[in-house]
Amino acid sequence: MFKINYSYTDIFNILMGTIVLMTISLYNGYPLVYSDTGTYLYSGFDKFIPNDRPITYGLFIFAFSLKKSLWLVVFVQNLITSLVIFKLFKCLIGERKLTLFFLCSIAFLTLFTGIGWYSNQLMPDFFAPISIMILFLLLYDKDISIFDSILFSIILICSLITHFSHFLLISSLIVIIINIEYFLSAKWTIFTPVSKKKRILATVALIISAWIILPSINYVAEKKFILSKGSHAFLMAHLVEAGILKKFLDENCSTNEYKDCKLCFYKDSLPEYAYEFLWESKGVFYKTGEWVDSKAEYDKIINGTLKKPKYLFLNIYESFKYGILQLFRNDIGQGISAYNQGTPPYDQIHWRFHKELTTYLHSRQNFKDEAFNDLKTINVVNLVLNTLALLFTFFIFFFLRNRIDPLALKFLTFSLIAIIVNSFVTAGLNFPCERLQARVVWLLPLALLIITIKN
């Protein structure tokens, strides 16, 4: 038997943190939506695997909306966010003045970082920082209860299976941490091996299980034991934007192996950017088979670029360059614009949550598009805060490292590594995107807040 070790004060703190986080939705007048929100709603309610994303976040919306309201979904997202940060504070700071420190920190992060812009958005992006914090707690919280271990394991698996980048982010991060723990711990004294071997093995097993759970869900939905239907399309879009596809086709379209490829007919009219390649109406992607019929040809070309050292090294170089660029693309609010009649979010909300349509249309996101979406001020504040946070982090590592609480310093290092890994995972396999980096960079100010409070 195990007990639920949450006091009434703990529950009060978590609920108050949830309410503070929800001020973004309350100010908007409705949960924030993105262009992809429509696809998630459609797939979750109709139980099919989309071509370009997992079905699982759609199922998350279906389950927690209770088919009644999307407010319930963002409440759960903010509740999860508040819960995980609260447990992080309890682990790193302790009980002393916990309520004051926790709620003030949540309010600070909501006002000055992107945390609320993602926890209040009907997108799986909020799960990325959640998975990072949970990974840290599973590895390093010495007092974690059996109940919390089970609860956080469930949330971690949900985090991983809702977006492909989360798989790669957490899988890469655990590999790096294991290497630091067991091969560099003598040099990286920040990472003295606190976590036991069986705890690391259990966490690794948990991550591996997620790689099996998603194909299993897909098999139940469509009798296909696959991770993704459309990974080939995104990888091809990356090759397009990096300029690799054009060079490869110029060199190989005259050979017997590739001369019949449809892409060869369009090699001189390829778009410049990946998003144009994927989403341009009746463009090259459309003409070469779209999501389903293009797979065999695209896989053949992608494998061809990987087999030839010239293109493999060029791909590595371009991916590294994109990863560096992504580090500096942290603007909040990408894609938050009006989605009125004729857009996928509108159509799905009209269909599934018709009683909320008027509220949705009168939200600031839709009704006052220009006024609400001018996020220059918050992004200037975000840029200044991130710059100061980075400078403070370097100052800590060079001058204050020995004076900082070891576990708090470990979380700062852990967060910094995670932010860098996220940058290279998301941009390196696709293209730089502000949304995918802004969702996690607030972890650095959070870590510094904890260090400031602790010391």
Side-chain angles (χ1 to χ4, degrees):
M1 288 290 294
F2 59 88
K3 63 178 181 178
I4 301 174
N5 57 331
Y6 288 84
S7 66
Y8 289 119
T9 304
D10 291 344
I11 294 170
F12 169 80
N13 287 333
I14 293 165
L15 289 175
M16 286 301 296
T18 303
I19 292 169
V20 172
L21 286 167
M22 284 199 69
T23 53
I24 301 294
S25 280
L26 295 170
Y27 175 73
N28 180 45
Y30 198 74
L32 298 169
V33 302
Y34 187 79
S35 58
D36 295 343
T37 301
T39 303
Y40 286 118
L41 283 164
Y42 190 16
S43 65
F45 277 77
D46 279 21
K47 313 296 186 301
F48 72 91
I49 307 168
N51 289 315
D52 55 345
R53 64 199 70 245
I55 187 178
T56 35
Y57 183 68
L59 295 175
F60 177 87
I61 295 176
F62 175 80
F64 287 106
S65 70
L66 303 179
K67 297 193 284 187
K68 298 294 183 183
S69 175
L70 291 173
W71 282 102
L72 295 173
V73 179
V74 292
F75 175 80
V76 171
Q77 291 184 178
N78 284 300
L79 180 64
I80 291 170
T81 305
S82 180
L83 166 66
V84 175
I85 294 176
F86 177 77
K87 296 303 290 187
L88 191 66
F89 268 64
K90 208 166 188 180
C91 168
L92 297 176
I93 293 174
E95 298 286 351
R96 182 174 171 272
K97 295 184 179 179
L98 180 59
T99 298
L100 175 65
F101 292 142
F102 169 68
L103 293 179
C104 287
S105 297
I106 286 286
F108 177 86
L109 293 169
T110 304
L111 282 171
F112 300 116
T113 75
I115 182 173
W117 294 90
Y118 295 96
S119 63
N120 288 279
Q121 191 174 148
L122 294 166
M123 288 285 288
D125 294 324
F126 91 99
F127 271 126
I130 294 298
S131 63
I132 293 166
M133 291 186 287
I134 287 179
L135 183 62
F136 179 85
L137 289 169
L138 290 176
L139 291 175
Y140 298 112
D141 185 357
K142 291 182 287 184
D143 299 319
I144 192 169
S145 67
I146 296 174
F147 175 80
D148 282 339
S149 295
I150 295 171
L151 176 62
F152 289 161
S153 296
I154 293 170
I155 296 173
L156 179 61
I157 289 175
C158 289
S159 302
L160 296 179
I161 64 178
T162 52
H163 200 278
F164 299 121
S165 67
H166 303 170
F167 271 121
L168 298 174
L169 166 61
I170 298 303
S171 299
S172 302
L173 186 56
I174 191 69
V175 169
I176 291 170
I177 297 305
I178 289 172
N179 277 278
I180 291 174
E181 286 276 8
Y182 290 101
F183 298 107
L184 296 176
S185 58
K187 297 178 181 179
W188 288 57
T189 53
I190 295 169
F191 276 89
T192 52
V194 173
S195 53
K196 296 178 180 179
K197 285 183 180 179
K198 64 180 180 180
R199 187 180 281 206
I200 289 181
L201 289 174
T203 307
V204 170
L206 197 65
I207 294 168
I208 292 172
S209 72
W211 286 89
I212 300 170
I213 289 170
L214 180 57
S216 300
I217 291 172
N218 289 339
Y219 184 79
V220 171
E222 291 190 7
K223 304 301 179 187
K224 296 176 181 177
F225 193 79
I226 55 172
L227 269 175
S228 167
K229 285 183 176 181
S231 57
H232 63 285
F234 287 103
L235 290 173
M236 186 60 74
H238 168 74
L239 294 179
V240 169
E241 180 155 326
I244 297 170
L245 179 62
K246 178 69 166 65
K247 293 177 181 178
F248 183 85
L249 294 177
D250 283 342
E251 185 177 305
N252 292 279
C253 278
S254 59
T255 65
N256 290 332
E257 187 176 2
Y258 296 99
K259 66 180 182 180
D260 294 328
C261 289
K262 294 177 183 177
L263 279 169
C264 287
F265 298 103
Y266 304 101
K267 64 185 181 70
D268 296 319
S269 57
L270 293 171
E272 185 177 357
Y273 299 108
Y275 69 87
E276 291 177 322
F277 177 79
L278 286 174
W279 311 117
E280 185 180 87
S281 177
K282 297 188 178 181
V284 173
F285 183 48
Y286 172 83
K287 294 172 182 176
T288 54
E290 292 188 283
W291 298 99
V292 178
D293 295 334
S294 65
K295 182 171 175 54
E297 178 178 316
Y298 284 18
D299 284 345
K300 180 180 177 180
I301 292 173
I302 291 165
N303 291 332
T305 63
L306 296 176
K307 290 175 183 177
K308 296 189 177 183
K310 170 184 174 181
Y311 296 106
L312 177 60
F313 288 123
L314 181 59
N315 203 345
I316 292 171
Y317 168 75
E318 292 294 337
S319 297
F320 180 80
K321 182 177 74 175
Y322 282 170
I324 296 294
L325 289 173
Q326 179 82 311
L327 281 172
F328 300 96
R329 295 192 177 182
N330 302 302
D331 283 358
I332 297 165
Q334 183 199 24
I336 298 179
S337 58
Y339 294 103
N340 290 312
Q341 192 167 0
T343 64
Y346 172 93
D347 292 343
Q348 288 298 313
I349 291 171
H350 179 273
W351 183 8
R352 317 288 182 180
F353 302 95
H354 188 73
K355 291 181 180 179
E356 296 186 347
L357 187 63
T358 301
T359 307
Y360 167 73
L361 288 174
H362 285 83
S363 66
R364 281 183 165 85
Q365 181 178 2
N366 287 306
F367 191 60
K368 298 180 180 178
D369 184 31
E370 291 184 7
F372 183 64
N373 293 306
D374 184 9
L375 297 174
K376 290 180 181 178
T377 302
I378 193 170
N379 276 312
V380 168
V381 172
N382 187 51
L383 175 62
V384 172
L385 180 63
N386 288 333
T387 303
L388 292 175
L390 194 58
L391 292 173
F392 188 27
T393 300
F394 286 135
F395 184 77
I396 287 172
F397 283 137
F398 283 106
F399 300 106
L400 300 177
R401 199 171 87 176
N402 295 327
R403 302 180 187 178
I404 303 298
D405 176 77
L407 195 56
L409 188 60
K410 183 174 290 191
F411 179 65
L412 174 63
T413 310
F414 192 94
S415 298
L416 193 60
I417 292 171
I419 289 167
I420 294 170
V421 171
N422 180 78
S423 177
F424 283 94
V425 163
T426 55
L429 292 177
N430 206 337
F431 50 88
C433 174
E434 286 87 350
R435 189 190 97 238
L436 297 178
Q437 192 66 5
R439 64 185 184 170
V440 298
V441 292
W442 59 265
L443 288 172
L444 191 59
L446 170 63
L448 293 171
L449 280 172
I450 290 171
I451 285 176
T452 304
I453 294 167
K454 185 68 176 178
N455 290 274

